[in-house]
């Protein structure tokens, strides 16, 4: 797996990462969503540098300019519900992309720490021969991304596979490396220390879905 850590050098990305972690700033859910969206835009820009481009000629009011444009179609696919704000950031830059959505959540059968990942909803276009960008803000155990990936790959094969996460734990990255194809690209805005006994990222930021959209039952 090709792993890209995009916060290793100082940039405005680190400013937004600091704000989404701050327990005082987190109280403003609209600001939290906007900062996640901004992070998505930065990640989309960095990811765009690795795509294939083709030459085109653009007619301006005064002449013709030779430039380049993305050569292949892009499909953005986010994991509900936490991925929506990050998805918007990517969509702001890949404005011609097709869009898909998949649900995945931890189901605790006995109300204890053990869980399975349930994938129950999928609405996605064809991504055969296209560049698929799978979007989820938190990479904890990695089980959700692998479960969604396996569901999506049952019938079609994309040209390239990119996975974009805001905060990742080492355990989740290791799980993806063991269970996903070697030619996948993983984009990580911030790498954290570890998972705790409940499989939450430490220091992390809490539950991204709850912070963005409110507490769930």
């Amino acid at each position: 797996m090709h792993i890209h850590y995009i916060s290793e050098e100082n940039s405005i990305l680190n400013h937004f990462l600091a704000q989404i972690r701050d327990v005082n700033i987190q109280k403003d859910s609209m600001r939290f969503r906007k900062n996640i969206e901004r992070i998505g835009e930065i990640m989309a820009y960095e990811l765009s540098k690795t795509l294939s481009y083709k030459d085109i000629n653009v007619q301006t009011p005064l002449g013709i300019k030779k430039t380049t444009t993305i050569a292949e179609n892009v499909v953005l696919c986010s994991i509900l519900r936490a991925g929506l704000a990050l998805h918007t950031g990517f969509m702001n830059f890949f404005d011609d992309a097709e869009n898909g959505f998949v649900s995945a959540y931890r189901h605790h059968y006995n109300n204890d720490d053990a869980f399975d990942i349930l994938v129950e909803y999928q609405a996605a276009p064809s991504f055969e021969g296209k560049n698929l960008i799978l979007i989820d803000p938190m990479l904890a155990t990695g089980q959700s991304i692998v479960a969604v990936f396996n569901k999506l790959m049952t019938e079609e094969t994309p040209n390239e596979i990119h996975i974009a996460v805001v905060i990742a734990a080492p355990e989740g990255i290791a799980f993806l490396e063991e269970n996903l194809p070697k030619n996948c690209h993983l984009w990580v805005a911030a790498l954290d220390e570890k998972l705790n006994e409940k499989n939450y990222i430490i220091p992390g930021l809490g539950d991204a879905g709850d912070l963005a959209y409110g507490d769930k039952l």
Side-chain angles (χ1 to χ4, degrees):
M1 177 176 290
H2 308 285
I3 305 177
H4 310 265
Y5 297 104
I6 63 175
S7 64
E8 291 182 335
E9 297 182 0
N10 285 327
S11 74
I12 193 67
L13 172 63
N14 289 337
H15 175 77
F16 297 137
L17 287 169
Q19 289 193 352
I20 64 172
R21 295 182 191 269
D22 190 304
V23 293
N24 295 309
I25 298 176
Q26 284 182 349
K27 296 175 182 178
D28 185 342
S29 60
M30 184 172 69
R31 188 173 179 183
F32 182 86
R33 290 193 302 272
K34 187 63 179 179
N35 282 333
I36 292 287
E37 180 181 338
R38 288 164 168 164
I39 291 169
E41 291 176 342
I42 295 169
M43 297 185 74
Y45 172 73
E46 294 296 333
L47 188 155
S48 74
K49 298 176 183 178
T50 69
L51 300 179
S52 299
Y53 287 77
K54 62 183 178 181
D55 294 332
I56 60 170
N57 292 318
V58 176
Q59 179 70 57
T60 80
L62 300 176
I64 295 177
K65 174 62 179 177
K66 184 177 181 180
T67 184
T68 60
T69 189
I70 295 174
E72 297 173 334
N73 294 329
V74 172
V75 177
L76 306 175
C77 187
S78 64
I79 299 178
L80 299 173
R81 65 181 167 156
L84 289 175
L86 189 63
H87 186 112
T88 299
F90 272 83
M91 193 164 52
N92 289 346
F93 275 31
F94 293 111
D95 50 0
D96 292 328
E98 299 174 273
N99 296 273
F101 304 91
V102 181
S103 71
Y105 65 95
R106 296 180 180 185
H107 180 65
H108 299 266
Y109 288 96
N110 299 313
N111 294 319
D112 56 19
D113 294 338
F115 62 88
D116 288 330
I117 300 296
L118 298 187
V119 180
E120 296 183 338
Y121 172 83
Q122 175 182 339
S126 170
F127 46 81
E128 182 71 34
K130 303 174 184 177
N131 291 323
L132 174 65
I133 304 176
L134 184 58
I135 298 165
D136 194 16
M138 308 298 284
L139 172 57
T141 67
Q143 294 180 48
S144 293
I145 288 177
V146 170
V148 168
F149 178 88
N150 289 337
K151 183 174 179 62
L152 291 174
M153 295 300 121
T154 55
E155 297 181 359
E156 297 184 318
T157 304
N159 181 49
E160 289 187 356
I161 301 166
H162 298 266
I163 299 166
V165 302
V166 176
I167 296 176
E171 296 91 332
I173 293 176
F175 190 78
L176 295 193
E177 289 182 305
E178 292 173 2
N179 292 278
L180 295 185
K182 301 301 182 185
N183 61 346
C184 286
H185 290 263
L186 174 63
W187 297 83
V188 179
L191 176 63
D192 276 13
E193 297 174 9
K194 60 181 180 179
L195 297 178
N196 66 10
E197 65 280 358
K198 295 183 179 294
N199 288 311
Y200 295 138
I201 300 174
I202 302 298
L205 53 74
D207 189 300
D210 288 355
L211 291 168
Y213 302 109
D215 295 339
K216 57 185 176 293
L217 294 176

